[in-house]
Amino acid sequence: MRPLVRAAALALLLAAGPVLTGCVSAFTVAGPEETSSSAVVPPSEPLSPVPSPSPVAGTVTVRDFAFDPADLTVRPGAVVIVTNTGTTTHTLTAQDGGFDTGPIAPGTAVSLTAPSRPGAYSYLCGFHHFMRGILTVA
Ligand SMILES: [Cu+2]
């Protein structure tokens, strides 16, 4: 009985041989997966110096002792941010009185709403009248 079992096992092995080989060759043809371990991480969105959408249409920086830019053009009714980077309090005051930031302490910023009527508006600093600029609404 035993030799017969051996023969059967051998026959099984021989029969299985080509199948196994086929499996191996199929695997070889497929080749090793190109599994790159160095996963490419998508670059994070670059930090934009421009803040998220806001109604701000322009900025004026007040230094000691000048406005920058000295001539800014914005749309009617636009919001203008006025930042004082100087060491002295300043204002941005329309000469016709149409707009006035009031005192802007050093290191602070205020918002100003541009006139709704197009035109060129001369302004100055209420404390230092030699500081002048023009806000153009167009
Ligand atoms: Cu001033």
Side-chain angles (χ1 to χ4, degrees):
M1 205 66 161
R2 213 159 174 96
L4 191 67
V5 171
R6 270 185 81 168
L10 189 71
L12 235 161
L13 207 80
L14 286 171
V19 174
L20 284 171
T21 307
C23 267
V24 169
S25 57
F27 179 77
T28 305
V29 167
E33 291 278 324
E34 279 290 323
T35 44
S36 175
S37 58
S38 57
V40 178
V41 179
S44 57
E45 213 159 289
L47 289 173
S48 172
V50 180
S52 50
S54 69
V56 174
T59 59
V60 173
T61 300
V62 190
R63 312 182 194 285
D64 294 333
F65 290 85
F67 294 104
D68 180 27
D71 190 340
L72 177 69
T73 300
V74 298
R75 307 294 294 173
V79 173
V80 177
I81 300 298
V82 185
T83 305
N84 182 0
T85 61
T87 58
T88 306
T89 298
H90 300 287
T91 75
L92 192 158
T93 306
Q95 289 192 295
D96 70 356
F99 52 85
D100 183 8
T101 61
I104 312 167
T108 65
V110 300
S111 65
L112 177 78
T113 302
S116 54
R117 187 166 47 86
Y121 297 84
S122 297
Y123 62 82
L124 45 66
C125 171
F127 300 121
H128 316 98
H129 292 181
F130 59 91
M131 293 175 61
R132 293 166 185 271
I134 297 174
L135 180 65
T136 301
V137 176

